[in-house]
């Protein structure tokens, strides 16, 4: 049985696990310039200044974990 907390991680942790720059994941959360956020409202949210993302959202945007 999978723990629900295992499906959620900080943007920094997600970047490390997928081999990405942290700014790449943060910009997918917030959007930039004229580009909207890439994560859906059910895949990412900000909690006390820290972006949290789901494993499913990371796989949808960036493919399987490396």
């Amino acid at each position: 049985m999978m723990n629900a907390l295992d499906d959620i991680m900080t943007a920094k942790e997600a970047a490390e696990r997928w081999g990405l720059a942290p700014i790449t994941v943060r910009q997918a959360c917030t959007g930039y310039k004229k580009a909207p956020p890439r994560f859906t409202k059910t895949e990412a949210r900000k909690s006390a200044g820290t972006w949290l993302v789901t494993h499913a959202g990371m796989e949808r945007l960036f493919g399987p974990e490396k």
Side-chain angles (χ1 to χ4, degrees):
M1 182 174 194
M2 186 174 174
N3 182 344
L5 290 174
D6 290 337
D7 188 48
I8 300 169
M9 64 201 99
T10 65
K12 182 179 178 181
E13 178 187 0
E16 290 171 2
R17 288 173 59 175
W18 266 260
L20 302 168
I23 189 69
T24 302
V25 179
R26 281 196 313 274
Q27 285 180 338
C29 293
T30 63
Y32 58 95
K33 294 185 182 177
K34 294 183 181 180
R38 296 178 63 203
F39 284 110
T40 66
K41 295 201 181 287
T42 62
E43 294 172 336
R45 77 176 187 93
K46 199 168 190 178
S47 175
T50 301
W51 279 100
L52 303 173
V53 298
T54 64
H55 192 272
M58 285 298 294
E59 285 192 334
R60 183 180 67 79
L61 291 181
F62 302 107
E65 187 175 351
K66 295 180 169 98

